[in-house]
Amino acid sequence: MASSALSRIANLRRHFNPSNPTSKGEGLMKMSPEVSEALTRGKPVVALESTIISHGMPYPLNVGTAKDVEAIVRENGAVPATIAILDGVPCIGLSMEEIERLAKMGSKARKTARRDIAHVVATRGNGATTVSATMVFASMVGIPIFVTGGIGGVHRYGESTMDISSDLTELGRTPIAVISAGVKSILDIPRTLEYLETQGVCVAAYKTDEFPAFFTETSGYKAPCQVDSPEDCARLIDSNMNLGINSGILVAVPIPKEYSASGNLIESAIQKALKEAREQNITGSAETPFLLGRVNELTGGASLASNIAVVKNNAHVGPEITVSHARLHKNS
């Protein structure tokens, strides 16, 4: 009870004294009234990334999906906080107009990971936040749970290129629970799991002992641990926070059976797209959007439909966990 009361007092101090921020970054950010009120009152809030809006799919499908995901979060009892940088201002919670603007901007918005945040802010640019940047901002304002489609990881041939997503190091340094469909299957899944272990990240599969592979329910690799309910997840998140471990948690939720694409079809498309990326020397932050787009073309749109299904499914699961976590805090 005491820790919960102290948390509320800290939130109130931040919101009523914005000119005297109590932690780094607060004076530079804009928070929507809905998110601000929810955090102050201890209501469940779910963070959402914005790269999926600008780089994940074409307009107007992207704006429709973003609005649907926010609606699903609300229907399941939480407040959505889509995060992006607009005109150099980190925004925690976007209006419908801002989502529409970002969706129309598309890839003109900078794909913003942790390393890019300061530059996008300094140049008053527009940035769509990746998993790592979204985690940074969510942690700054006290949002403990974040829903996305899939996280980045170790790229195939990463042992030679050292192309490793900053999502993994962010999970190792920022105590946020990320709800995803595991790792995008365009990546090297076993090496990604090894790297997450090195970073001290708790990886838990949801209602299964198999680690999912984004487009498919299974990857052929076992998850280090398993959680079977929102309450299990809430207790795991609470233990991680209370112990002060200071690393994140990855909750891997399998894609629904009815949307799981054929593993062989997807894998064949991935191999072809990887070959084309190498031939065209497409690397770094440009590689994932290229691969996902090319795989979608090669599978006749099946992978994009699965991508949308993944995000919407996680938008159901994430708020259930968030509500359970808020209830746990309220009763403590």
Side-chain angles (χ1 to χ4, degrees):
M1 184 68 74
S3 63
S4 179
L6 287 171
S7 176
R8 299 281 180 84
I9 290 169
N11 277 332
L12 285 167
R13 187 181 296 120
R14 284 199 297 267
H15 295 306
F16 286 115
N17 297 285
S19 61
N20 184 27
T22 57
S23 69
K24 292 179 181 178
E26 286 177 18
L28 300 173
M29 294 186 288
K30 183 183 82 171
M31 191 180 297
S32 74
E34 182 186 22
V35 172
S36 179
E37 180 186 8
L39 288 174
T40 300
R41 294 178 179 273
K43 293 180 180 178
V45 179
V46 170
L48 301 169
E49 63 156 295
S50 50
T51 294
I52 194 170
I53 300 173
S54 62
H55 293 70
M57 55 193 73
Y59 182 86
L61 186 60
N62 55 358
V63 69
T65 301
K67 289 177 179 178
D68 287 347
V69 167
E70 287 212 346
I72 292 168
V73 170
R74 287 194 174 90
E75 287 164 9
N76 286 274
V79 172
T82 300
I83 295 174
I85 302 173
L86 296 175
D87 301 318
V89 179
C91 300
I92 317 298
L94 301 184
S95 66
M96 287 298 111
E97 291 76 19
E98 288 169 331
I99 288 175
E100 182 83 29
R101 179 188 171 197
L102 191 63
K104 287 181 176 177
M105 207 180 296
S107 59
K108 291 179 182 177
R110 183 169 175 178
K111 187 179 178 185
T112 305
R114 169 186 271 269
R115 69 166 187 184
D116 310 303
I117 292 171
H119 187 257
V120 175
V121 170
T123 57
R124 296 180 174 84
N126 297 303
T129 55
T130 63
V131 168
S132 66
T134 304
M135 289 180 70
V136 169
F137 289 124
S139 179
M140 282 182 179
V141 300
I143 301 174
I145 296 170
F146 161 38
V147 165
T148 186
I151 67 165
V154 179
H155 282 253
R156 299 195 189 197
Y157 313 106
E159 69 275 18
S160 301
T161 64
M162 291 301 292
D163 192 349
I164 300 171
S165 171
S166 63
D167 296 353
L168 304 187
T169 48
E170 200 61 47
L171 275 160
R173 69 196 296 180
T174 304
I176 297 290
V178 179
I179 316 302
S180 83
V183 178
K184 296 181 179 76
S185 49
I186 57 174
L187 304 171
D188 187 325
I189 292 175
R191 282 192 172 91
T192 297
L193 287 171
E194 288 289 347
Y195 197 84
L196 285 168
E197 180 186 4
T198 300
Q199 292 294 315
V201 177
C202 177
V203 177
Y206 191 67
K207 298 183 179 180
T208 179
D209 64 350
E210 284 267 357
F211 187 77
F214 193 72
F215 291 122
T216 55
E217 297 169 86
T218 63
S219 63
Y221 300 94
K222 295 291 183 184
C225 60
Q226 178 176 339
V227 284
D228 292 317
S229 68
E231 292 75 22
D232 282 352
C233 292
R235 285 190 291 270
L236 176 61
I237 293 165
D238 207 48
S239 294
N240 191 62
M241 292 171 65
N242 289 340
L243 289 166
I245 293 174
N246 291 326
S247 56
I249 295 172
L250 178 63
V251 179
V253 182
I255 186 173
K257 281 183 170 58
E258 61 269 28
Y259 292 106
S260 182
S262 164
N264 290 334
L265 173 66
I266 294 287
E267 181 59 30
S268 174
I270 287 171
Q271 290 299 333
K272 183 173 176 57
L274 282 166
K275 183 174 181 293
E276 292 176 2
R278 290 197 301 275
E279 289 172 349
Q280 297 175 42
N281 198 30
I282 298 170
T283 58
S285 62
E287 186 175 18
T288 295
F290 170 81
L291 291 174
L292 290 176
R294 191 70 182 106
V295 168
N296 182 56
E297 291 174 8
L298 293 169
T299 59
S303 66
L304 180 57
S306 294
N307 192 356
I308 294 170
V310 158
V311 177
K312 289 184 177 180
N313 184 59
N314 292 346
H316 281 280
V317 176
E320 292 175 354
I321 295 169
T322 308
V323 169
S324 294
H325 185 256
R327 190 179 299 124
L328 194 65
H329 264 246
K330 188 176 180 180
N331 295 332
S332 63

